Amino acid sequence: MLDLRMRPTRCIRSMFLLVLILFVLLNMHVLMNFEAKKSTSMDHSFLNRLRNQQNIEHAHVQNDRMQIVSDINESKVEFLMYPNQYNRTFNSGSVQESNLTQIKMEIDRINQEQYIHNLNKFGLKLKSDSIVIVVQVHDRTKLLSILLESLKAVRKIEETLVIFSHDYYSDDINKLIQSISFCPVLQIFFPVNAQLHPKEFPGEHPNDCPRNVKKEQAIKMKCNNWEHPDKYGHYREAKYCQTKHHWFWKLYRVFDGLEVTRNYTGQILLLEEDYYVAPDIITTLQMMQSLKRKECKDCRMLTAGNYDKTQSYVANSGKVELAHWISSRHNMGMIFARDLWTEIKKCAKEFCNFDDYNWDWTLQHLSMKCIPGQIKVLKMKATRIFHMGDCGVHHKGKNCNPDIKRKQVESIINSNRQHLFPNVISIQGTSRFKLRDPKPNGGWGDIRDRELCMSFMKTNV
Ligand SMILES: *[C@@H]1O[C@H](CO)[C@@H](O)[C@H](O)[C@H]1NC(C)=O
């Protein structure tokens, strides 16, 4: 590692580095032992499993070098890794996209390794005022590439960890993720996905009842799920059920599963593959966060985006509105921390049994019926997120050109550049919209969906 032909100054620098590394290693030893004593036996065996993975080709170095550092400062460091501690970055096995067995093995490997890429470049320091970004990804590669471009331009992006949560494995998507060089990146895969189960639940089994048959007919057909139509008498449509499962699973995975975030007390920002983010999203959210601490202690969520037709950055760049969380208004760019997740988890049964295949309407139902004190939110009045995939999952056929949409959004951002990065953030007004318990949209009557949804609690961690 050391080049012996170095000049004296470099030599001294190397000596210094060496001493530093020894110091860090020594500290780490102490810390790791300390942590091992504190953790429960289950945690311990999980760590051991990760450390001794004979069955995995490329042993995972990261866990051995992880530090949990306590500090008496207000925003203590919870996870710390210096740049250049090791050098490995993306590696992918050779996977044939048509071979589901191989995809399953690869997904399991990646989920087990929990490898964070680009740490050699940036290191990672998570604190209680950090923002970890979690992006839910399905299969819209083009839109994802636009999101990545926008993320690249975000100030302080290199300080965050961006977690991509996938429910579909594809080389194109992986290549795109692997091309990211501007921040630490971690990929996770929702394992119980439809791609891996094309002819069985949670995909569509050949003997599943068609959406529109009546129950009496379904009984005669003896189709699998005849007993469980939704409240409108329809049977499940596999392609619409996955998103809610994935949404719920990834939160378990991030808050309770992943080594890097399981003790994290900072914020997470939820994005989707068809979003476009403004360059000041992180800085503005951090300012909102401290506003929340001062002026709205019972707000449990912030939202960076909104769907308002007219946006005025001149007037509203630093303005924030207080509201009750309403799914159709506040579901874009939600950020929250473990305290709200704990409340959502306590309502898992309600979440999994509410007859609505939309996670956001379900969450609104929880806010109304299950979460004590409801979910109050601070909303940015000038949106920092744009929804590019307006056509959505439901309108695949409709004419929808992401490039045109992107040009529009870029021009909005460019013409308002001098109003981004506000100096002051303040609460201006309260939303006049009342929270109500939403009428369930259906699509979630199948007992198998309800059971799968409930299973994440037990199996994920
Ligand atoms: C799929 O991959 C598995 C594991 O590598 C292998 O055993 C199997 O033969 C492959 N199947 C096909 C059809 O290529």
Side-chain angles (χ1 to χ4, degrees), residues 20 42 83 247-248 343 379 418:
L20 192 74
M42 198 181 129
W247 189 86
F248 205 37
E343 295 296 336
K379 167 197 134 173
Q418 71 273 29

Side-chain angles (χ1 to χ4, degrees), residues 94 96 98-103 105:
S94 49
Q96 285 208 305
S98 56
N99 189 329
L100 297 182
T101 318
Q102 279 185 5
I103 291 181
M105 282 163 61

